[in-house]
Amino acid sequence: MKKFYVLVVDDDKEICEMALNMSNDREDVVVFTATTNEQALSLIKNNFFHVACIDLLSTDGDFKMIFKVLNERRPSCKCYLITGKAGDKPINLLLELLIPSCPRIEGAIDKCDINYTNVILDMADTYFKNAKVINSVDILYEEIKKKKTRYLNGHVAITSEEVEYLLSYIFGQRMNFTNKNSYNDIEQIITGAQLVLLSGGRSKSIVALAKAKTKEVSIEDFYTVIKISPIDDIKEEINRYKSYVKFMVGLSSRVELLDYVLGDTLGAVCYSFAGKPSNNIKNISDVFREKQDQAKIYLKKLFDVNTKEWMADSNIKQEKDILKYFKNKYKFNHDDFKKNIKTTIELCGSKNEKLHNILENVSKKVGVLLAGGKIRETYNSCIVHGDMNSNNVIIDENIDPKVILIDYSDTGRGPIAIDFAALECSLRLDVDTGDLSGDEYDFYLCQYGYEKECTELFHRAGDDLPYWTKISKLLFKLYCNNFKFATKEEYLITNVLWGARVCNVKSVRHSERLRILLWIASLLDQLII
């Protein structure tokens, strides 16, 4: 059952009791009350609210402080003053004075009116009228809880109610639409959605396929992709989508950011396929894991069609110091990378002499590379996605497959090889990582051997080489085809830095870090440092 959450702050206990009676009369309305600011702040920290009603003449301090805290920590909550003189002209004048300093105030409620709670119930009824039935909210919330330490801002707790609010809002009145081209002038009124979790990888985001349900007049269901992320990430993505994608990039003809909503700690964005997709939608990470040959088709389509305009010669510029770019853009820390190499050596190098020697060489060569002048020479830049890992490439596997990108929070100008590097790294993590135990060290050494065999990236991989080597060669070929300025050295350096950046991600397992370091080792073997 959907519920409507209300906070009432008033030092008059009778007013609080009247508010609590709403919960007794309506199971779908949940009321929390506080008679002091301290109680109110505790409730705000730990609970999600649709509406907050604050006493104008609280004896416990400045009521504006409560509004300020709500504005900072629960920005999705609608705020009202409770006063005994809501209809008086002086109160209306006071509201006009207060609103500039407390912009969250929606209006005033007269608590002297014996039916004042009906105003709140009317708000609840309006909410329920527009609210949609969202299945699988609990599944998404459980995934979010697994990444909870990345979401908490230290002030408020994440709740399942907030997640439901985001999804209900996305599929509520903001997405009641008429799509004349696809639906033959039949008005599509969305009544709810069924969510299917897509693999979200190691990022902060939760990604799901959403099958929107419509009224019986609908001839088809409507599919979208939903992403839930920390609120600041969503704000950044919206800004970058508008700046770099919507009006500048050919991708906008293939993917559209339909809508977004901001909650208290989280935000959600909704992406659409062009036209109606099939129900066989996945990200390319799943394609890699299943070692499907169709990956070649999807990647060719991605780089030969969707990103062509990004990579146009007119967008190419020369920049200096690619290391500085990684430090500024991704907060890359060289010292952290060296510590991670050392930790990996301590974990497995002592048990395998060959691995120990390879990792020691990585540490030395990386130190020379990052300290030398080569990495600070000019490099070519263009508009890039900025985080094209395999979880952000969504596939619709119909007869004419569609490929879309999601998550534009890092989109902007960057090294021309960076999107290829993100996929190269994902490819190795998706296909070739396991647990570090027993003979696993020999397995990783074998992968390093294949990396060595695959070092001449211009040559075609033999049929006896692993799946990922063939995809890796294709990525390099697509890189060369897209840029007349493409160089092998720039590709290798970008891949090294991307791999080093991923090694610094705290959620990366030791086995995954080892696999990346062996990839970096093969890249460094090809560089003349």
Side-chain angles (χ1 to χ4, degrees):
M1 175 191 293
K2 284 188 176 296
K3 295 187 178 182
F4 188 75
Y5 293 87
V6 180
L7 171 64
V8 175
V9 182
D10 197 313
D11 56 0
D12 188 335
K13 293 183 178 180
E14 289 186 6
I15 296 298
C16 290
E17 288 178 6
M18 287 178 64
L20 288 172
N21 285 335
M22 287 190 291
S23 291
N24 296 330
D25 298 334
R26 293 270 300 264
E27 292 184 5
D28 55 358
V29 177
V30 180
V31 179
F32 292 81
T33 63
T35 57
T36 67
N37 284 358
E38 183 180 358
Q39 292 174 356
L41 293 177
S42 177
L43 290 171
I44 291 169
K45 179 177 181 179
N46 295 303
N47 299 278
F48 174 84
F49 296 105
H50 294 94
V51 169
C53 304
I54 315 299
D55 182 20
L56 174 63
L57 300 176
S58 172
T59 60
D60 190 42
D62 184 3
F63 73 93
K64 289 172 60 177
M65 183 267 290
I66 299 294
F67 282 108
K68 183 175 183 294
V69 172
L70 282 166
N71 186 52
E72 293 173 351
R73 303 180 185 180
R74 296 292 181 190
S76 66
C77 179
K78 294 184 180 297
C79 301
Y80 291 83
L81 280 174
I82 301 177
T83 173
K85 300 179 179 181
D88 288 359
K89 187 174 181 180
I91 293 297
N92 291 330
L93 292 174
L94 177 61
L95 280 175
E96 292 179 7
L97 293 173
L98 285 173
I99 285 175
S101 60
C102 297
R104 301 298 314 289
I105 299 177
E106 303 276 343
I109 297 175
D110 189 349
K111 64 181 178 181
C112 292
D113 185 346
I114 193 171
N115 296 316
Y116 94 90
T117 55
N118 288 341
V119 177
I120 299 174
L121 292 176
D122 287 343
M123 296 178 196
D125 290 337
T126 300
Y127 169 76
F128 290 127
K129 181 180 179 181
N130 292 322
K132 308 302 175 183
V133 178
I134 310 295
N135 296 324
S136 308
V137 169
D138 290 343
I139 295 175
L140 265 67
Y141 178 59
E142 289 302 316
E143 287 298 313
I144 289 170
K145 284 201 299 185
K146 292 178 183 178
K147 303 184 179 187
K148 194 170 183 180
T149 54
R150 301 184 189 180
Y151 287 92
L152 285 178
N153 60 15
H155 298 298
V156 294
I158 297 169
T159 64
S160 60
E161 290 79 18
E162 181 181 0
V163 177
E164 185 171 30
Y165 163 81
L166 294 174
L167 295 170
S168 183
Y169 193 81
I170 280 284
F171 290 101
Q173 55 187 343
R174 293 280 290 275
M175 280 188 61
N176 290 342
F177 64 95
T178 301
N179 189 328
K180 295 183 179 181
N181 293 329
S182 299
Y183 295 96
N184 301 321
D185 297 336
I186 296 178
E187 186 177 10
Q188 306 298 303
I189 305 299
I190 294 177
T191 59
Q194 174 69 45
L195 303 176
V196 178
L197 190 68
L198 297 176
S199 56
R202 302 155 196 83
S203 71
K204 303 174 184 177
S205 305
I206 302 296
V207 180
L209 172 66
K211 180 180 179 181
K213 295 292 186 179
T214 57
K215 283 188 174 181
E216 292 181 1
V217 295
S218 170
I219 56 175
E220 293 175 330
D221 289 317
F222 183 74
Y223 290 84
T224 62
V225 175
I226 299 290
K227 186 189 79 170
I228 299 177
S229 289
I231 190 169
D232 289 341
D233 289 359
I234 296 296
K235 289 179 180 178
E236 183 68 18
E237 174 165 7
I238 299 305
N239 179 52
R240 290 182 176 274
Y241 180 85
K242 292 177 180 178
S243 300
Y244 294 103
V245 181
K246 187 172 184 179
F247 301 111
M248 295 177 62
V249 178
L251 264 174
S252 58
S253 64
R254 301 295 298 278
V255 61
E256 182 182 2
L257 198 155
L258 281 179
D259 205 354
Y260 70 95
V261 59
L262 302 177
D264 299 331
T265 62
L266 305 172
V269 290
C270 177
Y271 310 93
S272 168
F273 285 88
K276 182 186 182 300
S278 69
N279 60 0
N280 193 13
I281 297 172
K282 60 176 67 175
N283 52 37
I284 206 169
S285 175
D286 295 325
V287 178
F288 286 163
R289 289 191 182 96
E290 295 165 7
K291 300 183 180 180
Q292 296 180 14
D293 286 337
Q294 291 97 314
K296 298 177 183 178
I297 298 173
Y298 303 145
L299 291 172
K300 287 178 181 178
K301 195 153 194 175
L302 174 64
F303 287 110
D304 286 347
V305 180
N306 281 15
T307 59
K308 204 70 173 180
E309 193 169 332
W310 292 31
M311 300 173 177
D313 291 346
S314 59
N315 282 332
I316 303 295
K317 291 183 180 180
Q318 284 202 330
E319 312 274 358
K320 281 193 173 183
D321 199 342
I322 192 172
L323 178 59
K324 183 178 179 181
Y325 171 85
F326 270 82
K327 287 180 177 179
N328 292 339
K329 179 70 175 179
Y330 302 112
K331 312 302 180 189
F332 173 68
N333 188 304
H334 178 209
D335 291 333
D336 287 345
F337 181 50
K338 289 193 293 186
K339 290 177 184 176
N340 283 319
I341 297 176
K342 183 179 179 181
T343 300
T344 307
I345 292 174
E346 292 172 351
L347 180 69
C348 59
S350 60
K351 301 176 183 178
N352 190 299
E353 185 177 353
K354 289 183 179 179
L355 274 178
H356 181 276
N357 293 336
I358 292 170
L359 295 175
E360 285 286 0
N361 283 332
V362 169
S363 182
K364 293 176 183 177
K365 288 183 177 181
V366 164
V368 174
L369 176 66
L370 298 185
K374 185 180 292 292
I375 206 165
R376 291 178 172 80
E377 294 175 357
T378 58
Y379 66 92
N380 293 299
S381 73
C382 66
I383 298 173
V384 297
H385 178 274
D387 189 16
M388 202 183 288
N389 68 73
S390 57
N391 291 298
N392 287 336
V393 182
I394 307 295
I395 309 298
D396 174 17
E397 294 182 311
N398 55 20
I399 296 175
D400 181 22
K402 294 183 177 68
V403 183
I404 71 168
L405 295 174
I406 64 171
D407 194 345
Y408 299 97
S409 55
D410 288 313
T411 299
R413 182 163 291 280
I416 59 175
I418 201 163
D419 289 339
F420 298 90
L423 283 169
E424 289 266 22
C425 189
S426 289
L427 176 64
R428 285 156 175 84
L429 292 177
D430 290 337
V431 176
D432 277 323
T433 54
D435 297 323
L436 286 179
S437 59
D439 296 330
E440 287 293 324
Y441 298 114
D442 291 332
F443 165 79
Y444 284 101
L445 281 172
C446 184
Q447 301 312 301
Y448 175 65
Y450 285 129
E451 293 277 15
K452 296 283 285 184
E453 289 185 52
C454 198
T455 52
E456 186 46 66
L457 295 171
F458 288 105
H459 291 173
R460 182 180 177 184
D463 292 335
D464 57 331
L465 291 179
Y467 166 84
W468 59 266
T469 62
K470 300 171 187 178
I471 303 299
S472 179
K473 286 182 178 293
L474 173 63
L475 285 168
F476 183 72
K477 182 179 179 180
L478 291 170
Y479 162 73
C480 294
N481 290 345
N482 274 277
F483 300 109
K484 67 180 182 181
F485 305 101
T487 68
K488 180 179 178 181
E489 182 179 74
E490 193 169 320
Y491 191 80
L492 294 172
I493 289 175
T494 307
N495 276 259
V496 168
L497 289 173
W498 186 271
R501 176 213 172 204
V502 173
C503 275
N504 284 354
V505 175
K506 292 181 180 179
S507 59
V508 170
R509 304 194 311 267
H510 287 303
S511 58
E512 294 172 326
R513 187 169 287 116
L514 174 59
R515 181 64 185 91
I516 297 170
L517 287 173
L518 292 175
W519 171 48
I520 291 174
S522 72
L523 298 170
L524 291 170
D525 289 342
Q526 301 170 68
L527 279 169
I528 301 174
I529 302 174

